[in-house]
Amino acid sequence: MTALGAVFRPQSPPEKLRSVVRTAEEVGLEELWLWEDCFLESGIASASAALAWSERLRVGVGLLPVPLRNAALTTMEAATLHRLFPGRVKLGVGHGVQDWMGQVGARAESPMTLLREHLVAMRALLRGERVTVDGRYVKLDGVALDWPPATVPAPPAVLSGARGPRSLRLSGEAADGTVLDASTTVEGVRAARALIDEGRALAGRTEPHGVTVYVLAVTGPDAERRLAAELEREGLPPTAALGVAGDAEAVAAEVRRYVAAGADTVVLQSTADDEDPDAFIRFTAEEVRPLI
C-alpha cells in the first residue's frame, strides 16, 4: 500500500510543530516529514519532539546533510530514536547544498565520496558491527554502538537523498532507500528507479529499496498562482510538469501518477509561504488519502 505523508516545512517556526503533530495524529496522517535545511531547524531535534508528541505517527527526516555531521554521532542519534520509537523513524542523509556547506567551512572536495563513506559506516554501525575505517572523510577506530537498535526483522533503513545519475546509482548501491525532492517529475521517478536499480545490481543487492518523493501540492482558490510563485522561488520553470494545483481529486490523481512511476511513499509539500500548515495536514489526511 502506498504511504502518503506531508512535510512540515522549516520555513514555519519550530513552535508551530507541536500543533501540526497533534493535528497529524488526530486525523490519522501516516507520515510527517521534516528537513534539516540550513539555517532553519535541526532535523534530529524536531524529529525527537514530533515522535514524543505522538503515539503512532511515523516521522521522516529528509535530509540530514552529512558534511555538517560526524558519522558516529549521526548514527548514535539515529539509534537512539529507533530504540525510543521503534518502527516510527525514517532518516535520510545527503551530501548537502554545497553553497551552504561552504558558508560553515564544511564543503567537501568530493561530496559523493563523503556520502558513500557515511552510508557505509552508518549501515554497519546500525547492524551492530564494530567498525574500523580510514576513509577520505570518515575515520572510525573500533567504533561500535553500546545501544544499537533492534535488527529483527531487519536493521533500520538508512535513506539517501539523490538527484543526479551518480547519486542515484550510489543510493541504489549503498543506501536502503532513496528520497527524491520536489524537482522530480513523474518521468523523473521512472528514470531514478532505473538508475537506482543499476546501483543495486552493481552491489548485488536484492532486498526491497523504497523510493520517497516530495510533490508540490497547492489547494484553495488561488492555488495555481501560488504554485507558479513557488516554482519561481525555487528557480524551476512553470512548464516543468512539476506540482499540482487544485482540489483533492486533482492532488490524488497526481499522487497516483507518481505511484505508477515507481514511488512507494509520496510526501505532499505545500508552499514556503503557507501560513496554515495544520490545514494542509488535514487536507492531506482527510481529503486526499481516501482517494488514493
Side-chain angles (χ1 to χ4, degrees), residues 119 123 127 153-159 170-178 193 196-211 264:
L119 287 167
R123 292 182 65 243
R127 289 193 299 265
V158 180
L159 313 181
L170 171 60
S171 187
E173 183 180 350
D176 301 304
T178 301
R193 270 290 187 189
I196 290 165
D197 286 344
E198 288 181 17
R200 294 176 70 220
L202 182 65
R205 301 185 64 177
T206 57
E207 69 274 29
H209 185 108
V211 170
D264 301 288

Side-chain angles (χ1 to χ4, degrees), residues 159-173:
L159 313 181
S160 177
R163 180 183 289 177
R166 291 178 61 213
S167 60
L168 287 163
R169 291 190 189 96
L170 171 60
S171 187
E173 183 180 350

